[in-house]
């Protein structure tokens, strides 16, 4: 309780000292968070909620430091991240080329898209039990299911991006005597890039969701496993530690992906960005 | 070596490979003949998709019939379909479908009823809502399944905890899309309604809802997709829940009854397609409206 209120006073004091050093936006976010945590802690202190159902922020903080010290949190973060990145990478490596192929070939799209659309509608966690039977318990089913979750958004967006390439750009390259490789490298990939990257970001969101699903259902490590294990032991603070970690990691990766998106688009002339902002 | 939900099905009543292949072939052939008789009634695209799907099923059946794969790991599709029919006939399947769809629709309607009004309010009085933005952003990033453990602690195993996280999963896409949709409203449109003597309710009905309708439906479609994922996770984890297609899949997985596992996956795919198609229809509605 006192930590939170002290923190709030501290923020205001630092703000007062630094004058305009701290941007208004940051200050606001900090104050809202401090107020929220204060109310949360206070409601438990006053006995409005049971502490078994809603762990106080101070207990969560204490637990976080304890886990960091013991290395338990780091192990689970590493397990979750490696699983996620493996699935994400596989999905992108498979989805972008196949998306380009489907975008370029009308026949491929007409024959195969109904079947793919059906598979797309099956939630990846539903496949998990079947994949476990096929591939055995371990890392592979989780990675496979995450890859499936990431695959479709990237695939669909790549296909859409390739279809929306301006015919006139294609014709220019053909008139200049460019072959198919030139077309792919100079026209199709650059103009489809913004759409592909949007797909990557959507795929990231779905993959992150599926990662947690897979870990809650069937895993012996990772943040989802940590949450579910803590729930079984009624260790409510640990549940919150896991959720907060997932939140922070998700936010960080989302910001990173936004940076990557910006970098790639700027490198390709920034036409899309200008269009978006102007 | 492996258990089964329905041992009596193992003894007989399973579609034989030739008859299954014949059925699939006729499912492809009948629309093809129809198309030949009445051109324009069935599109070439759906016929192509149908024949690819049928081809995969026939190939899978032949591979199983030749004994190239272990039937415990990958049962033939004929057995999966007879399993679905059998489960329906003995009345086992209906309660699972009903409870899955009940959880989904209940949470989805709850999400629509809460997210759309809140979204409209949030974009119309940013003064009260912008302070909450950091909290909303943080909550948005936590995937709904991560709330599952907490939700079980709060509401116990059963319908309530599942409905809570499905609601949560649907809420944010609908809410954020509503906010985006309302921001597309131009002040001139609002002023026009006010000038002609309309009140705030008229503005809502005549301007805000029609303009943001498309965004709201898009949000609803995204939300429903995430809701399905979350629903299945909830049913897989809450073993005590005792009903639902996800529960059926997990329960039969423990018995190594791959046939029922695959039946469940296919049924979830079918119902997911149906709910998405229904929402797509709603998306089409607006073209006539605006």
């Amino acid at each position: 309780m006192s930590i939170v209120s002290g923190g709030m006073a501290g923020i205001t004091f630092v703000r007062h000292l630094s004058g305009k050093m701290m941007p208004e936006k940051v200050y606001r976010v900090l104050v809202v968070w401090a107020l929220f945590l204060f109310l949360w802690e206070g409601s438990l202190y006053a006995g409005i909620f049971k502490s078994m159902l809603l762990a106080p922020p101070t207990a969560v903080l204490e637990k976080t430091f304890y886990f960091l010290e013991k290395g338990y949190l780091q192990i689970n973060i590493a397990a979750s991240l490696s699983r996620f990145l493996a699935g994400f990478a596989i999905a992108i490596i498979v989805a972008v080329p196949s998306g380009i192929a489907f975008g370029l070939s009308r026949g491929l799209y007409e024959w195969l898209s109904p079947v793919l659309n059906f598979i797309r509608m099956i939630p990846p966690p539903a496949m998990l039990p079947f994949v476990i039977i096929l591939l055995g318990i371990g890392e592979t089913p989780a990675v496979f299911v995450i890859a499936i979750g990431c695959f479709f958004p990237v695939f669909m967006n790549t296909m859409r991006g390739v279809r929306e390439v301006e015919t006139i750009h294609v014709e220019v390259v053909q008139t200049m005597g460019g072959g198919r490789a030139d077309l792919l490298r100079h026209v199709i990939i650059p103009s489809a890039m913004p759409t592909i990257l949007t797909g990557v970001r959507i795929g990231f969101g779905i993959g992150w969701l599926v990662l947690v699903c897979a870990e809650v259902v069937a895993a012996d490590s990772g943040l989802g496993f940590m949450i579910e294990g803590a729930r079984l032991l009624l260790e409510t603070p640990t549940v919150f530690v896991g959720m907060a970690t997932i939140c922070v990691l998700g936010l960080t990766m989302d910001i990173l992906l936004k940076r990557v998106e910006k970098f790639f688009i700027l490198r390709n002339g920034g036409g899309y960005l200008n269009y978006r902002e102007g | 070596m492996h258990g089964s939900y329905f041992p009596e099905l193992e003894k007989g009543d399973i579609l034989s490979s030739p008859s299954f292949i014949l059925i699939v072939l006729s499912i492809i052939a009948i629309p093809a003949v129809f198309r030949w008789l009445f051109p324009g009634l069935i599109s070439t695209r759906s016929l192509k998709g149908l024949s690819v799907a049928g081809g995969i099923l026939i190939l899978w059946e032949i591979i199983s019939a030749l004994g190239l794969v272990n039937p415990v790991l990958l049962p033939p599709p004929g057995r999966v379909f007879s399993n679905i029919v059998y489960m329906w006939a003995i009345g086992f399947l209906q309660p699972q479908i009903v409870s899955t769809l009940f959880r989904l629709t209940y949470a989805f309607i709850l999400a629509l009823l809460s997210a759309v009004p809140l979204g409209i309010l949030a974009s119309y009085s940013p003064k009260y809502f912008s302070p909450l933005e950091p909290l909303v952003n943080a909550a948005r990033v936590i995937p709904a399944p991560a709330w599952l453990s907490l939700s079980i602690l709060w509401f116990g195993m059963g319908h309530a905890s599942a409905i809570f996280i499905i609601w949560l999963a649907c809420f944010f896409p609908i809410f954020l899309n509503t906010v985006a949709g309302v921001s597309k409203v131009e002040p001139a449109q609002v002023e026009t309604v006010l000038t002609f003597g309309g009140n705030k309710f008229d503005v809502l009905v005549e301007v805000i809802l029609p303009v943001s309708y498309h965004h709201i439906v898009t949000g609803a479609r995204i939300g429903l997709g995430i809701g399905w994922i979350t629903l299945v996770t909830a049913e897989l984890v809450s073993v005590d829940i005792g009903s639902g297609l996800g529960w059926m899949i997990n329960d039969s997985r423990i018995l190594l009854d791959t046939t029922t596992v695959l039946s469940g996956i296919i049924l979830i795919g079918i119902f997911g397609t149906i709910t998405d198609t229904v929402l797509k229809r709603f998306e089409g509605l607006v073209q006539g409206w605006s």
Side-chain angles (χ1 to χ4, degrees), chain A residues 21-95:
Chain A
M21 287 287 276
M22 190 189 268
E24 180 74 24
K25 218 172 131 189
V26 177
Y27 173 66
R28 260 207 206 146
V29 170
L30 285 177
V31 166
V32 168
W33 265 105
L35 206 65
F36 173 67
L37 292 175
F38 181 77
L39 285 175
W40 179 355
E41 180 92 32
S43 65
L44 285 164
Y45 196 71
I48 298 172
F49 298 113
K50 281 186 197 156
S51 62
M52 198 182 77
L53 299 182
L54 201 67
T58 40
V60 176
L61 208 65
E62 206 176 288
K63 210 77 185 173
T64 311
F65 283 123
Y66 176 72
F67 284 150
L68 278 174
E69 206 178 293
K70 293 275 177 193
Y72 180 64
L73 197 57
Q74 287 94 318
I75 290 174
N76 283 321
I77 291 175
S80 282
L81 274 185
S82 57
R83 219 170 263 157
F84 174 74
L85 290 178
F88 195 42
I90 292 171
I92 292 174
I93 290 168
V94 178

Side-chain angles (χ1 to χ4, degrees), chain A residues 22 110 114 121 143 199 208 222:
Chain A
M22 190 189 268
E110 282 194 341
M121 292 322 295
V143 171
W208 194 240

Side-chain angles (χ1 to χ4, degrees), chain B residues 2 235 273 290:
Chain B
H2 66 101
E235 288 184 347
T273 314
S290 64

Side-chain angles (χ1 to χ4, degrees), chain A residues 103-127:
Chain A
L104 289 177
S105 152
R106 214 182 155 68
L108 209 56
Y109 172 74
E110 282 194 341
W111 285 97
L112 292 182
S113 69
V115 171
L116 283 176
N117 269 333
F118 180 74
I119 297 173
R120 188 166 67 97
M121 292 322 295
I122 302 172
M127 299 179 192

Side-chain angles (χ1 to χ4, degrees), chain B residues 51 125 236 260 286:
Chain B
S51 47
S125 43
L236 289 180
T260 310
V286 82

